[in-house]
Amino acid sequence: MNFMETVLNKSERTAYELGALYERYGYSQYKMSKFEEYDLYVRNKSFLVSDHIITFTDTDGKLMALKPDVTLSIVKNSKDSTDGVRKVYYNENVYRVPKGALSFKEIMQSGLECIGDIDDYCVSEVLTLAAKSLEKISHDFVLDVSDMSIISGIVDSLSLSRKGREDVLVCIGEKNLHGIDAVCRAEGVDGARAQTLKELVSSELDCEKMLSILKDTECADEARALASIIEVLASELGARIRIDFSVIADMRYYNGIVFKGFVRGVPTAVLSGGRYDSLMQKMGKGSGAIGFAVYLDAIAELDEIYCEYDTDVFVLYDDNIDVRVISKVVREVAQSGERALAGKKVPEKLKYKSIVDLTKEEA
């Protein structure tokens, strides 16, 4: 075992490896304060994973918040530039109530942001790094990719009411084809137009099939652009990259490509991201932006080392054993790269690989 395996848990090891990965692609580490002005989050509450925020009053009377999100802080503190791109990554803790939980937690999160003149290469690079990030977690992963400009274009063509639009977007995210039918019937939408949307959501799509479905729609150009990026990535990732239009995000913030990453053994997405030019505009910036976050708390259960053993070697001794002997054995185990724990009695339920019983050697 090396240092990282014996000292760091799965989340910590992954954060370290992701930082090294991102730096190899020219991303520099972004460091930030643990808190921001509360107003930043109030104005963008619907962008947050959770709307629960820990607040406090600063010494100057300003209402502050422990940061529940990293992207908003980076956007707020980034210079607006459409000339070139700024590439940053982060390993930060955020403070929020996870989905399904009842209390706040400090959550370790890694990710990256690419801000500025975003072109097809930038999009392709970010998706590549998303896939490589998943591979650092597990070799058994998939990256599902969608495009909000295509979803928005098809939904716009249905001419739904505001309520109908909200309902149909929920149905898209759930792959609820009956729900899409029900909304469209209630609003008098032509069946053929509804069928295009259902085919996009229900089908296992490759680029050829997607282009066929969208060839006579307002989204044909966007479909070709998405296909060209997917084809580049598929040459390396194969079936691990999939087109899935049920992956959606808030249209007030996201435009263009959005994506989610999954690994075997974790029931929820461990990575999510997308292009968020709309958020930049909402915050008064003219730059484009794309990025993603890796939810390191979600992968803690994959830490097989700590689930299997509490220590590698337990060194058992009694009062008759010379302290120098005990120290020598523990030191030799540690120098071999394994973990050692010494004691007069093996703790109940302790999980260990092997035991060195000095009391028997004494006899």
Side-chain angles (χ1 to χ4, degrees):
M1 287 190 183
N2 60 33
F3 170 81
M4 288 183 63
E5 291 177 330
T6 56
V7 175
L8 305 181
N9 62 32
K10 177 70 175 179
S11 298
E12 292 166 336
R13 290 197 305 274
T14 302
Y16 180 88
E17 291 169 353
L18 292 178
L21 168 66
Y22 304 150
E23 288 191 357
R24 289 198 295 273
Y25 279 76
Y27 289 75
S28 57
Q29 187 168 13
Y30 187 93
K31 288 293 218 175
M32 61 195 75
S33 170
K34 290 183 181 295
F35 40 84
E36 286 275 6
E37 290 187 28
Y38 177 62
D39 184 60
L40 171 66
Y41 303 118
V42 170
R43 286 184 280 107
N44 300 282
K45 220 167 189 179
S46 55
F47 181 78
L48 303 176
V49 174
S50 168
D51 59 1
H52 296 286
I53 302 172
I54 300 174
T55 61
F56 65 95
T57 302
D58 206 349
T59 55
D60 60 2
K62 285 183 181 178
L63 188 60
M64 306 296 289
L66 282 174
K67 65 177 187 290
D69 176 82
V70 176
T71 299
L72 288 172
S73 292
I74 292 177
V75 172
K76 175 194 169 188
N77 296 300
S78 291
K79 291 183 179 179
D80 194 17
S81 173
T82 56
D83 182 18
V85 293
R86 183 188 184 200
K87 299 179 178 182
V88 298
Y89 78 91
Y90 58 86
N91 288 316
E92 295 285 340
N93 290 331
V94 295
Y95 306 85
R96 60 176 177 240
V97 179
K99 189 175 182 180
L102 299 175
S103 58
F104 282 97
K105 289 188 177 180
E106 183 179 28
I107 299 169
M108 186 185 298
Q109 184 173 302
S110 292
L112 60 79
E113 312 292 346
C114 184
I115 298 173
D117 181 17
I118 304 301
D119 56 19
D120 286 348
Y121 172 73
C122 294
V123 174
S124 177
E125 179 182 84
V126 168
L127 284 170
T128 297
L129 288 172
K132 289 182 179 294
S133 298
L134 292 169
E135 195 171 29
K136 293 291 183 184
I137 299 168
S138 169
H139 291 293
D140 196 353
F141 72 88
V142 293
L143 181 66
D144 289 341
V145 181
S146 178
D147 192 311
M148 293 307 297
S149 62
I150 293 174
I151 292 294
S152 180
I154 297 300
V155 172
D156 285 347
S157 74
L158 301 179
S159 300
L160 299 169
S161 67
R162 181 175 177 177
K163 177 67 163 56
R165 183 184 178 87
E166 291 173 354
D167 290 344
V168 87
L169 286 172
V170 171
C171 292
I172 291 170
E174 297 174 347
K175 291 193 174 183
N176 182 353
L177 304 187
H178 294 299
I180 293 173
D181 271 336
V183 172
C184 290
R185 280 198 307 270
E187 302 227 354
V189 175
D190 176 74
R193 285 189 292 167
Q195 184 61 29
T196 299
L197 178 58
K198 290 195 297 179
E199 287 180 4
L200 281 180
V201 174
S202 64
S203 303
E204 291 188 6
L205 298 176
D206 56 21
C207 289
E208 184 178 354
K209 189 170 185 180
M210 175 188 67
L211 292 172
S212 175
I213 293 171
L214 295 171
K215 65 180 179 180
D216 296 321
T217 70
E218 304 89 336
C219 304
D221 289 343
E222 288 86 350
R224 284 191 289 272
L226 176 60
S228 66
I229 290 173
I230 294 294
E231 286 168 354
V232 169
L233 296 172
S235 63
E236 180 179 352
L237 300 174
R240 295 196 183 283
I241 186 163
R242 306 184 303 195
I243 302 172
D244 185 348
F245 283 102
S246 70
V247 176
I248 59 173
D250 194 321
M251 291 181 185
R252 288 171 293 181
Y253 302 100
Y254 289 93
N255 62 294
I257 280 179
V258 291
F259 48 93
K260 288 186 177 180
F262 301 85
V263 298
R264 183 176 294 278
V266 181
T268 58
V270 300
L271 179 152
S272 68
R275 184 156 184 177
Y276 54 90
D277 295 6
S278 300
L279 171 63
M280 299 292 289
Q281 293 163 10
K282 189 173 186 293
M283 296 183 69
K285 311 274 186 175
S287 307
I290 184 170
F292 61 81
V294 182
Y295 306 118
L296 296 173
D297 60 310
I299 68 173
E301 59 196 83
L302 297 179
D303 194 350
E304 298 174 358
I305 292 175
Y306 279 83
C307 288
E308 189 175 0
Y309 300 113
D310 299 308
T311 190
D312 296 309
V313 180
F314 186 81
V315 181
L316 183 65
Y317 66 90
D318 58 27
D319 291 334
N320 297 317
I321 307 298
D322 192 309
V323 171
R324 289 170 294 182
V325 173
I326 304 169
S327 298
K328 181 174 181 293
V329 172
V330 170
R331 184 170 60 251
E332 288 174 348
V333 171
Q335 288 174 344
S336 75
E338 293 191 303
R339 294 169 292 167
L341 176 64
K344 295 180 181 178
K345 181 180 179 182
V346 180
E348 187 178 353
K349 296 183 180 179
L350 181 75
K351 293 177 288 185
Y352 56 86
K353 285 184 180 179
S354 60
I355 187 168
V356 176
D357 190 345
L358 298 179
T359 64
K360 288 186 178 178
E361 293 181 15
E362 174 194 22

